[in-house]
Amino acid sequence: MSEINSDPKTDRADEDLIYEPGLRHKSHTAVYTVIGLLGLAIGVGLGLFYTWQLNPVIERNTGPDKLREEDKINYVIGVGLDYAHTGDLNRAYNLLAEVEPGSDPFQIAADTVCTLTRQGRIQTSADIQAIRNLIAVFQGQPDVQANCDLDVFTISDTPTPTPQVIIVSPTPTPPLIATKTATPESPVVVETIPVGADATAPSIEGRMQVAAQRQFCDANNPGMIEIYVQEETSVQIPGVPIEVRWAGTNGQQSQIFYTGLKPQIGPGYADFKMTPGVTYIVSLPDFGATTERLVARTDACDNGVTISYEIYFRPIIQ
Amino acid sequence: MRNYLFTGIITIALGLGLGLYIGWVQYPVEYRNSYMCQLSDQYQEDYTLMVARGYREDGDLNKALDRLQPLRAVGIAECDDGRSYQIDNIPEWVQVLTERYISQGADPSLIRDLVALAEGFGRLTPIMESFRS
């Protein structure tokens, strides 16, 4: 047995010449992996760009939940119309549920009413009726919160109401003459004045003007514009459209509403709540009457209470 | 080097296919601001019926026409989706829908609502006569 003595220098040189397939394979795998992942990412990116931006799927069967806001409102109004005619609350519920799945359908109706009110889109008697129809849908439903004043659209139990104000006025009585028999009680005349949808056609013709205007302070109900539309004889006129315009954060805004929606105050009465610091102009668009600028000042009354205005519109006497 | 290039092309092609599948099938663009003319036929018919019922309540023909205007597809590129009937003329659409419901034997009360609106638009045809209220 002889022992082989190896030279360390020669051994090191031999090691350098040794072919090591494992190492080269590993580096190749890493490069292929990087190229593969990079290629995949580029491919997916291109594919998504093409399908989402350049050539997206055409929406052929859109449901009400995908509609733009404007058309959602139209659709909800349609549900109210449908309910007014059929009285089918289940159908109304199901139709509304499709507008915003997951939301309370009755709340959708309430929110739509408030949106329409705030946007001043209630301009005709048909609009008022449409609002009443929607209110009838969610009226009486628990947990429905309307974040706006619905009193102006007061409705009765039926979906198509016609509220009436009853004014009881005694007939003129002749001077009393002393007699031995008891005087019979004066007969009364019951006059009914329609208000609301049936009363939106004004009962006057010609142009009107601001007959009187005054400022006042009311700490309990500050910042009100109280409007009275009257005939020459001071008889109040219901159903007259009133437009209030002001400069809002999104440019000029306006709201149209009608006299006679608060019959407890007067058939020719309407009011509007001002925001402190904002300037308003009130007009009767059908009769060419416009007020001067009404500033909701807070420095004119005690304790910073917003000033209120009282305005009387009457016909121009020819 | 050639192998690297080949691998790159293959993986880009695979990625592209995956991207197309994701973008068209799995997670297509979800439209959130669609027009009424993009509603499915069924919803368009439902909406027309609602407006017809509203017309029977308030008798306001102009308002009914206003309410149906958003269904018109003309001039809206998104509405050009290749469906067989594109709404352009509203009175004609009400007539077409009414006659379709009559021929399909739909609920008579529903037909009566549509016939009233069609008649309002001056589109009363002989087939509708027996459904006049």
Side-chain angles (χ1 to χ4, degrees):
Chain A
M1 294 285 289
S2 63
E3 195 173 280
I4 298 171
N5 292 322
S6 59
D7 180 357
K9 285 183 182 174
T10 315
D11 286 349
R12 199 171 297 126
D14 288 346
E15 279 173 13
D16 290 341
L17 294 172
I18 290 170
Y19 173 62
E20 294 182 59
L23 276 177
R24 277 191 82 167
H25 180 69
K26 276 183 187 170
S27 69
H28 275 278
T29 307
V31 172
Y32 278 121
T33 306
V34 170
I35 290 175
L37 289 175
L38 208 62
L40 212 59
I42 292 170
V44 170
L46 286 173
L48 291 180
F49 178 70
Y50 183 74
T51 55
W52 286 351
Q53 295 292 329
L54 298 182
N55 189 14
V57 176
I58 295 172
E59 193 88 347
R60 289 175 192 276
N61 288 303
T62 305
D65 58 319
K66 303 275 173 49
L67 288 174
R68 60 198 182 121
E69 208 53 41
E70 175 75 14
D71 284 339
K72 269 187 185 175
I73 289 174
N74 288 331
Y75 196 86
V76 172
I77 290 172
V79 175
L81 298 174
D82 191 277
Y83 174 67
H85 187 69
T86 63
D88 186 343
L89 194 58
N90 284 333
R91 176 176 158 80
Y93 182 92
N94 291 328
L95 289 169
L96 287 171
E98 290 183 285
V99 176
E100 274 182 40
S103 299
D104 178 359
F106 295 125
Q107 189 62 51
I108 294 170
D111 292 344
T112 302
V113 168
C114 291
T115 302
L116 288 167
T117 307
R118 287 193 200 100
Q119 292 179 349
R121 290 175 54 181
I122 305 161
Q123 299 180 0
T124 66
S125 58
D127 292 333
I128 293 176
Q129 196 55 53
I131 291 293
R132 286 177 171 164
N133 296 337
L134 274 178
I135 293 173
V137 171
F138 66 80
Q139 196 176 38
Q141 300 299 329
D143 304 327
V144 175
Q145 299 247 324
N147 300 314
C148 57
D149 181 15
L150 300 180
D151 291 344
V152 292
F153 304 109
T154 309
I155 59 175
S156 63
D157 293 332
T158 55
T160 53
T162 307
Q164 292 190 322
V165 184
I166 297 175
I167 298 174
V168 179
S169 58
T171 53
T173 51
L176 294 175
I177 301 168
T179 58
K180 291 180 180 177
T181 55
T183 308
E185 285 185 17
S186 304
V188 294
V189 174
V190 177
E191 180 187 0
T192 58
I193 298 176
V195 297
D198 289 354
T200 49
S203 61
I204 48 173
E205 292 181 353
R207 296 176 66 81
M208 299 191 83
Q209 64 182 352
V210 179
Q213 177 180 316
R214 76 174 183 94
Q215 302 175 4
F216 64 98
C217 299
D218 184 353
N220 295 323
N221 200 10
M224 295 300 292
I225 302 176
E226 298 182 352
I227 302 151
Y228 295 86
V229 180
Q230 303 173 328
E231 292 179 357
E232 296 165 37
T233 54
S234 296
V235 172
Q236 296 188 25
I237 308 167
V240 178
I242 295 167
E243 182 178 28
V244 176
R245 284 173 285 146
W246 69 95
T249 51
N250 300 321
Q252 179 159 307
Q253 292 180 274
S254 67
Q255 185 171 338
I256 292 183
F257 47 95
Y258 294 84
T259 57
L261 294 172
K262 290 193 175 175
Q264 69 275 18
I265 300 176
Y269 173 84
D271 59 28
F272 181 87
K273 181 87 172 172
M274 297 188 288
T275 302
V278 178
T279 302
Y280 298 85
I281 292 176
V282 180
S283 62
L284 303 187
D286 290 352
F287 302 100
T290 302
T291 64
E292 59 190 39
R293 291 168 178 272
L294 309 174
V295 184
R297 294 168 55 194
T298 54
D299 57 353
C301 303
D302 293 338
N303 303 321
V305 169
T306 308
I307 199 166
S308 295
Y309 294 91
E310 191 175 66
I311 298 159
Y312 290 84
F313 287 101
R314 288 192 192 127
I316 297 174
I317 301 168
Q318 302 295 329
Chain B
M1 187 62 190
R2 188 181 294 173
N3 285 345
Y4 291 154
L5 195 66
F6 184 71
T7 306
I9 292 170
I10 291 293
T11 51
I12 285 176
L14 283 174
L16 197 63
L18 188 63
L20 292 177
Y21 172 75
I22 294 171
W24 273 339
V25 180
Q26 199 63 34
Y27 299 105
V29 174
E30 195 170 332
Y31 291 90
R32 293 217 164 271
N33 287 303
S34 299
Y35 294 89
M36 265 205 174
C37 50
Q38 290 175 276
L39 280 176
S40 70
D41 290 345
Q42 183 57 54
Y43 286 119
Q44 287 191 344
E45 292 172 14
D46 280 350
Y47 182 69
T48 306
L49 179 62
M50 292 177 204
V51 173
R53 286 174 168 165
Y55 170 68
R56 290 198 73 179
E57 287 297 310
D58 60 28
D60 191 334
L61 193 61
N62 287 329
K63 200 71 192 174
L65 187 62
D66 278 350
R67 286 172 172 147
L68 290 174
Q69 288 293 341
L71 290 175
R72 293 182 71 231
V74 175
I76 301 172
E78 288 86 343
C79 296
D80 187 15
D81 55 8
R83 66 178 79 194
S84 58
Y85 184 88
Q86 292 275 10
I87 300 173
D88 175 18
N89 184 322
I90 295 296
E92 181 190 87
W93 156 246
V94 173
Q95 179 188 338
V96 166
L97 183 64
T98 308
E99 290 177 344
R100 188 192 303 164
Y101 274 31
I102 292 172
S103 63
Q104 289 172 349
D107 180 355
S109 68
L110 181 156
I111 294 172
R112 275 195 289 275
D113 296 333
L114 286 171
V115 165
L117 185 57
E119 185 175 6
F121 284 138
R123 293 274 179 165
L124 189 74
T125 57
I127 195 174
M128 301 179 195
E129 285 285 354
S130 58
F131 292 95
R132 289 178 71 191
S133 299

